[in-house]
Amino acid sequence: MSKVKIVLLILAAASAAMLLYYASIRSTQLTHGFASYYTHSRLLAEGGDMTAAYDSLYFHSKMWEYNFGRVKDLPNLPTGSLIMFPLAFLEPVKAKVVWTAISLLALAASVLLLFRTYNISFNSSAGFALLFFTFVMNPLYSNMLFGQVYSVMLLLASLALYGVKSRKPILTAASIALMLVFKGYGLYPLAALLLMKEYRASIYSIIFTAVILLSTLPLYGVTAWQMYYTEFYSVVAYGTFTGHIAYQTFGSLLMHTFSSIPKVYLYYLSQAAGLIVLVFLTLRMKPIGKTAALTSAIALNVIFSPAAENYHYVLMIPLVYWAGSLIALHARSKKVVPTALILFTALLSAPLGYLALNNSPFPIFLLGYPRLYAGAAILVIAVIFSLSVLQNKSAESSLH
C-alpha cells in the first residue's frame, strides 16, 4: 500500500470516529428540526387534528406538552408525519437517540450503495478520499445535530440510483415515491426518468405516490394540504423569510439580489430555470448514461429547491462520488480538473459562518452562498468532464 493510500486510510478512519463521537454526544440534544418531525408524527399517532398542526400556536403548545421546552418550529407537508411515526411512542430524548442511530445506519448503507453504483473500490485512494469527504462534511454534522431526515433521504436517493444502475425500476420508483411523500423531493429525478424514456420506473413512481397520498388522505383531509401550502410552502417559497442566506438555493440568491422585485415572480422564474436546466442536462447526458443523468437531477433538485438549508446538501454526496470516481479514472494527466474538484468539495463541506453575511450590502452578501456555488460548480465540472471523456472515446473508436 502506498504512503498516499495509508494517509488517506488514516484520515478516513479518524473522520469516521469523529462523526460517530459527534453524533453520540448530540443524540440527546433536542433541537427544533427534530422537534418538528417528532411532534408532527406524535400528533398522528395520538389521533390529533392534523389540520390544526398548521396553527403555529397549537403546534408549539404540543411541543411544550411533549417536553421540548422553548424549542419551536413548524411542521412540513402532511405526509412528512409518517417519517418518525414508529418513534412517536418513545419519549423525545429516547426517540432522538434512536433516530441518530437510524441516520448513521442510513448513511452507511448509502455509502455502500453509492460505491457499488459508481464502481468505486473501498481499497483505493479515491475510495478513501471520498470516505474522508463524507465523514467530515459539515452539512452531515448539521443533519445529526438537528435530527434532520437527510441521511434517510440520501439512502432513498442512493437506492433510486442503484435501481437505475441495476435495472430495477420498482426499486427506483419506490425510492422516488418515498422522497416525494416524505419531503417533496423527487420531482426532478421523476422528470429525468421521463426524459430518459424510463417509462416503467416513471409510471411506477407516479402510481406509488398516488396510492400513498390517496390512502392517507382520510388521515389528513384536503384542508391539511391546503393549510400546508398556505402556512408553510408559500412562506418558505416566496414569503417573508425567503431570500435569506440560510437558504442556499438559486431562488434565494435571486430574491436576495433583486429585492425590489416581488418574490413570487422570482420564485416562478427560478423554478422555470431549474426545469430548463434539467431538460437540457438530461437530454445532453443520455449518451453518458442514465445513472449520471439521474445523479445530476438529484443535485438540481437541491440547487433549485424553494428552500434548501445547510443539511439539505447531504444530497450532494452522490454528485461528488460520481465526479470523484469519474475523474480518478480518467484525469490522471489533467491536474487542473481534480484540483478544482477538491477545492469545490472543500467549499461544499467546510464549516463556514456564511449566515453572518445575510445583512451585508451588495456585492458582499454574494459571498454568502458557498454551498450553492460549490454544488453548481461540481455539477458543471462533472458534466463537462464526462462529455469530454465520451468525445475522446468516440474519437479513439473512429480511429480504430
Side-chain angles (χ1 to χ4, degrees):
M1 184 179 290
S2 67
K3 292 181 179 180
V4 172
K5 285 181 68 175
I6 292 173
V7 171
L8 288 172
L9 174 59
I10 293 171
L11 289 174
S15 60
M18 184 172 66
L19 175 63
L20 287 171
Y21 174 74
Y22 181 86
S24 66
I25 63 174
R26 297 297 187 183
S27 63
T28 57
Q29 183 176 345
L30 299 180
T31 50
H32 63 275
F34 178 78
S36 171
Y37 293 110
Y38 175 90
T39 300
H40 206 189
S41 294
R42 186 158 169 177
L43 277 175
L44 178 63
E46 295 180 349
D49 187 344
M50 302 308 291
T51 301
Y54 295 96
D55 178 340
S56 58
L57 292 177
Y58 173 78
F59 197 70
H60 294 160
S61 72
K62 299 303 289 187
M63 285 185 174
W64 180 271
E65 180 183 327
Y66 297 151
N67 299 318
F68 282 101
R70 296 182 179 181
V71 174
K72 294 180 179 179
D73 205 346
L74 297 174
N76 288 276
L77 72 172
T79 45
S81 60
L82 298 171
I83 298 175
M84 293 190 187
F85 184 81
L87 306 183
F89 302 95
L90 298 173
E91 290 303 309
V93 173
K94 292 181 180 178
K96 176 76 184 297
V97 171
V98 174
W99 182 252
T100 300
I102 291 172
S103 297
L104 290 170
L105 290 173
L107 174 65
S110 299
V111 169
L112 178 61
L113 286 166
L114 292 173
F115 268 59
R116 290 184 175 180
T117 299
Y118 301 117
N119 299 319
I120 303 168
S121 171
F122 278 100
N123 188 29
S124 66
S125 296
F128 295 148
L130 290 171
L131 288 174
F132 172 69
F133 148 74
T134 302
F135 299 140
V136 298
M137 190 182 193
N138 181 260
L140 183 59
Y141 280 71
S142 181
N143 184 87
M144 295 299 173
L145 170 62
F146 294 113
Q148 278 289 342
V149 301
Y150 290 94
S151 287
V152 172
M153 294 294 290
L154 174 64
L155 176 58
L156 293 174
S158 303
L159 285 167
L161 288 163
Y162 184 73
V164 168
K165 174 69 178 295
S166 57
R167 298 181 182 179
K168 298 178 179 178
I170 292 180
L171 177 61
T172 297
S175 303
I176 290 176
L178 288 176
M179 291 178 74
L180 284 164
V181 168
F182 286 159
K183 287 293 296 181
Y185 272 91
L187 285 175
Y188 277 58
L190 176 57
L193 291 175
L194 286 168
L195 290 167
M196 291 186 292
K197 298 182 180 180
E198 284 285 316
Y199 295 128
R200 288 180 64 192
S202 305
I203 293 171
Y204 288 153
S205 296
I206 294 170
I207 291 173
F208 291 160
T209 303
V211 167
I212 295 172
L213 293 179
L214 290 175
S215 62
T216 57
L217 193 58
L219 296 174
Y220 306 112
V222 176
T223 305
W225 284 99
Q226 293 173 333
M227 290 290 288
Y228 161 72
Y229 179 83
T230 303
E231 302 297 330
F232 184 86
Y233 184 84
S234 62
V235 173
V236 300
Y238 48 82
T240 305
F241 300 107
T242 51
H244 194 285
I245 279 177
Y247 302 127
Q248 295 283 294
T249 65
F250 179 71
S252 175
L253 177 61
L254 279 181
M255 293 175 196
H256 203 139
T257 305
F258 303 101
S259 56
S260 60
I261 300 176
K263 292 180 178 179
V264 65
Y265 297 152
L266 296 175
Y267 163 75
Y268 286 115
L269 176 61
S270 67
Q271 294 306 299
L275 291 175
I276 291 170
V277 173
L278 174 70
V279 172
F280 174 78
L281 278 186
T282 304
L283 296 178
R284 191 76 177 86
M285 294 177 64
K286 283 177 68 175
I288 298 172
K290 295 176 180 179
T291 304
L294 189 61
T295 302
S296 300
I298 291 168
L300 289 173
N301 216 154
V302 178
I303 291 170
F304 290 98
S305 172
E309 297 188 56
N310 187 37
Y311 37 77
H312 289 236
Y313 274 78
V314 169
L315 291 174
M316 286 291 181
I317 289 177
L319 174 64
V320 175
Y321 277 33
W322 171 47
S325 62
L326 184 70
I327 291 171
L329 188 61
H330 298 286
R332 292 174 184 173
S333 61
K334 299 178 182 178
K335 301 301 182 183
V336 174
V337 178
T339 301
L341 178 62
I342 291 170
L343 290 175
F344 283 115
T345 300
L347 188 62
L348 184 71
S349 309
L352 303 170
Y354 56 83
L355 294 180
L357 297 174
N358 186 65
N359 296 319
S360 300
F362 179 86
I364 302 301
F365 70 78
L366 294 176
L367 298 174
Y369 289 88
R371 307 295 190 228
L372 173 63
Y373 300 149
I378 294 170
L379 179 58
V380 169
I381 290 170
V383 170
I384 292 177
F385 188 78
S386 60
L387 289 172
S388 69
V389 169
L390 180 65
Q391 187 176 13
N392 291 337
K393 287 183 177 179
S394 299
E396 290 175 3
S397 62
S398 64
L399 290 174
H400 296 292

